[in-house]
Amino acid sequence: MTQARDHGGDHWPMRLFRCRAAGACLPVLTVLVVVLLDLAGGAGMIWLPMLAAGPALAATTNGPRGVLGVGLLAAGLGAALGIHGHVPGRELTAVLAALGAVTLASGLASALRGRRERVLDAVRSVAEAAQHALLKPVPATVGPFQVAVRYNAAAAEARIGGDLYALIPTPYGVRLIVGDVRGKGLPAVGTAALVLGVFREAAYDEPDLLAVVDRIERSLARNLGGDDFVTAVVAGYPSTGLLELVNCGHAPPLLVRADGEVVAVEPTHPAPPLGLRALHDQTPSLQVLPFADADQLLLYTDGVTEARDRHRAFYPLADGLTRHVCDEPARTLDAVQAELLTHVGGRLHDDAALLLLRKPAVAEPGAAPVPEPTEGEGDGDASCGTDSRLTAALAENRAR
């Protein structure tokens, strides 16, 4: 799994080091500027109180020792300026006492800031672990497919959100899911974890892809509130050359043929999102597509297609995919993601997930022999029924 990538020229650790170095120098420069202004303006008290800006500013970028150092520098220079300018001792003492009070208060604020940063670092590490547990990294190849995933959480500090994806090999072929939980925050993350957990179990247990969807639906019906739901596309590759899709209120996947044509796979029988089946008469249906060598399938969430630029124009995903598609899914998604972030001005305001899989031809350089999906040890009649249904659906699709 790959988070939003930085497309600048430098790596982020180097830029972070430069920012911290600049932050450490800025308070000292502030004190020196005040000293120069005092010298240029002539003797007097007019600029000396401004020396307190040094330790106050240091509290935002330095630790307590750094604040104390800036405070001592400001006090020493202030005393020297006061003596040089013949400032009355009583007034100079008052200025230096105020400077000392500001330094102590700033040091305390710096210590509290450091404590909060340590807590935030711990939270980030927990979020990172939760991300890897919930949205497990997807390898570059899964079964017969080349795969790439790009994920951007709208809350950059959280690293995870309400979008979900998973792609796993099973006894019934490779199966995958891409979905979007209604809402944001921890409730959405909890629902995403529930969906992924049920999917990973059901994908191994159920020979029929519709049965996998039914398992997820039943679990959500028991655990979701009345207004909550999940849009999702569940897909499977049960036989060579065939791709199964079940679309539950989600954005249509984009199918890229070997010749570069990009086609939106609209559901033949629209179904409600997961968790809302009890409110509708429609039930999910299985859609079967031919999926040949060099074909690609892009699944995504609405955070991609609903991303707007400054003129409120949506990002044209199909056009972007057409421009950047190549025979390496990782390169394709890198280019699409970079264009998407440029479109929105650098930061997305909604979670966004992209999952692209490609069926390489065996004749391609470096391509491994394609393993045939194997049937599980379930009911033999169920397997035969599934095969006959797939064959009939494919024949009907070709007839259209």
Side-chain angles (χ1 to χ4, degrees), residues 82-366:
I83 295 173
H84 178 268
H86 305 289
V87 176
R90 191 171 181 179
E91 296 180 4
L92 181 59
T93 300
V95 170
L96 295 180
L99 181 58
V102 171
T103 299
L104 291 177
S106 299
L108 178 60
S110 175
L112 294 175
R113 177 184 57 80
R115 182 179 178 182
R116 287 194 298 269
E117 287 181 350
R118 289 191 293 273
V119 171
L120 181 58
D121 287 339
V123 171
R124 285 173 177 167
S125 66
V126 172
E128 189 76 23
Q131 181 192 47
H132 284 282
L134 179 61
L135 301 175
K136 296 181 179 180
V138 175
T141 58
V142 178
F145 297 110
Q146 298 171 301
V147 185
V149 174
R150 297 294 179 266
Y151 181 83
N152 295 80
E157 301 299 338
R159 299 179 183 268
I160 53 178
D163 287 1
L164 58 97
Y165 62 84
L167 187 146
I168 53 177
T170 75
Y172 314 104
V174 174
R175 286 178 168 176
L176 61 103
I177 183 173
V178 171
D180 188 358
V181 179
R182 176 185 180 273
K184 301 182 184 300
L186 289 179
V189 174
T191 302
L194 173 64
V195 171
L196 290 174
V198 176
F199 169 77
R200 287 173 179 140
E201 289 294 324
Y204 274 94
D205 295 341
E206 302 291 348
D208 193 332
L209 195 65
L210 285 174
V212 176
V213 177
D214 288 340
R215 287 265 294 269
I216 301 173
E217 176 67 35
R218 290 196 300 270
S219 179
L220 290 178
R222 291 192 302 267
N223 293 282
L224 287 188
D227 296 332
D228 295 327
F229 59 85
V230 179
T231 67
V233 172
V234 183
Y237 187 72
S239 302
T240 302
L242 293 178
L243 189 68
E244 294 181 331
L245 291 176
V246 180
N247 193 326
C248 299
H250 198 74
L254 297 177
L255 180 64
V256 185
R257 293 300 184 189
D259 60 2
E261 180 187 9
V262 177
V263 180
V265 184
E266 299 287 349
T268 53
H269 300 286
L274 296 167
L276 297 180
R277 190 182 300 183
L279 305 178
H280 296 267
D281 296 332
Q282 299 97 335
T283 57
S285 61
L286 194 68
Q287 189 172 1
V288 183
L289 301 173
F291 199 69
D293 289 351
D295 283 352
Q296 303 187 54
L297 186 72
L298 176 66
L299 295 95
Y300 55 93
T301 58
D302 60 8
V304 178
T305 52
E306 294 181 2
R308 296 173 181 262
D309 63 9
R310 60 177 181 172
H311 303 296
R312 309 298 295 168
F314 293 113
Y315 175 66
L317 178 59
D319 294 340
L321 182 60
T322 302
R323 283 191 295 270
H324 301 298
V325 67
C326 67
D327 58 2
E328 295 182 23
R331 287 178 53 197
T332 300
L333 289 195
D334 281 342
V336 171
Q337 185 187 53
E339 187 176 83
L340 172 65
L341 293 176
T342 301
H343 181 82
V344 299
R347 182 175 179 180
L348 293 169
H349 299 287
D350 193 8
D351 301 330
L354 294 158
L355 188 154
L356 179 63
L357 69 153
R358 178 178 183 271
K359 175 72 162 49
V362 178
E364 291 183 7

Side-chain angles (χ1 to χ4, degrees), residues 30-56:
T30 301
V31 172
L32 295 179
V33 167
V34 173
V35 171
L36 292 176
L37 289 174
D38 185 84
L39 292 175
M45 283 279 297
I46 188 169
W47 293 107
L48 290 185
M50 292 297 296
L51 291 171

